[in-house]
Amino acid sequence: MPLTIKDIIQNRLPFLNYSDTTVDARLDKIISEVQWTLQKPLGKDDADVELEASYSQQEIILIGVYVAYLVVLRKAFTTLAGDTETSEEASAKTLKKAKADVVEAEFHISKASDGSSIQLDTETLLASLKKEICDTAALLGITLVICQVCKKGLPFAFRVNQW
């Protein structure tokens, strides 16, 4: 049974709430963005860009992993700065509860039994997804801008002016 783009995303990011219609709508927008970004490298006509049936399984994997990469990147930015679209505040917090007057604090304790003690930092996750994007693109015989690095060691997507 062939995998869909959303299957690939869910396999890479199982922690997303896929039953949430807001998450689903955002994924659809990001999927469309990636499909249009990859239109030229994948040689798709305008009519076929958003038609999932026009993609091979390798191309679907590439799109799904690229979307997962952008979702993690967006979440990293949201965690640091908040999200004006959803009014979500920055969430880079570890303290669960604190009270200054009588000095009361409550923390979430990670447990190995439920998997919450397994940690992967954002940079490592992004690097892993980017490697998979670039490896899959190489298998398809295409070169992507995201896989190239500028003089400062940053992906071209983050290069501003002439560095």
Side-chain angles (χ1 to χ4, degrees), residues 28-42:
D28 287 339
K29 286 181 183 179
I30 298 170
I31 289 169
S32 178
E33 176 186 341
V34 169
Q35 287 172 320
W36 284 103
T37 299
L38 297 176
Q39 178 189 16
K40 296 283 187 226
L42 295 178

Side-chain angles (χ1 to χ4, degrees), residues 9-160:
I9 299 165
Q10 192 166 11
N11 288 343
R12 299 310 180 279
L13 306 176
F15 53 83
L16 289 181
N17 181 2
Y18 294 93
S19 61
D20 183 340
T21 55
T22 306
V23 170
D24 196 52
R26 275 193 173 183
L27 284 178
D28 287 339
K29 286 181 183 179
I30 298 170
I31 289 169
S32 178
E33 176 186 341
V34 169
Q35 287 172 320
W36 284 103
T37 299
L38 297 176
Q39 178 189 16
K40 296 283 187 226
L42 295 178
K44 299 294 178 188
D45 295 326
D46 287 353
D48 292 333
V49 170
E50 293 187 18
L51 183 62
E52 191 165 340
S54 73
Y55 293 95
S56 70
Q57 278 292 271
Q58 285 291 346
E59 292 170 338
I60 285 173
I61 291 168
L62 176 63
I63 293 166
V65 176
Y66 205 138
V67 170
Y69 176 86
L70 292 177
V71 168
V72 172
L73 189 61
R74 180 183 172 101
K75 183 59 181 170
F77 287 143
T78 303
T79 299
L80 292 173
D83 188 342
T84 56
E85 187 178 320
T86 62
S87 300
E88 183 180 339
E89 292 183 20
S91 61
K93 306 168 189 157
T94 55
L95 184 64
K96 184 176 177 187
K97 183 179 180 180
K99 189 175 183 181
D101 190 41
V102 188
V103 188
E104 178 182 327
E106 185 178 316
F107 299 91
H108 170 74
I109 307 299
S110 298
K111 300 176 280 186
S113 63
D114 67 5
S116 63
S117 66
I118 298 171
Q119 295 182 355
L120 180 66
D121 63 73
T122 304
E123 188 176 354
T124 304
L125 179 55
L126 285 170
S128 174
L129 290 169
K130 182 180 172 185
K131 182 179 180 338
E132 188 174 0
I133 291 167
C134 297
D135 290 348
T136 305
L139 287 173
L140 290 167
I142 60 174
T143 302
L144 300 177
V145 174
I146 192 174
C147 299
Q148 299 172 11
V149 178
C150 66
K151 289 180 182 178
K152 294 285 185 180
L154 296 172
F156 270 55
F158 294 103
R159 194 175 80 174
V160 179

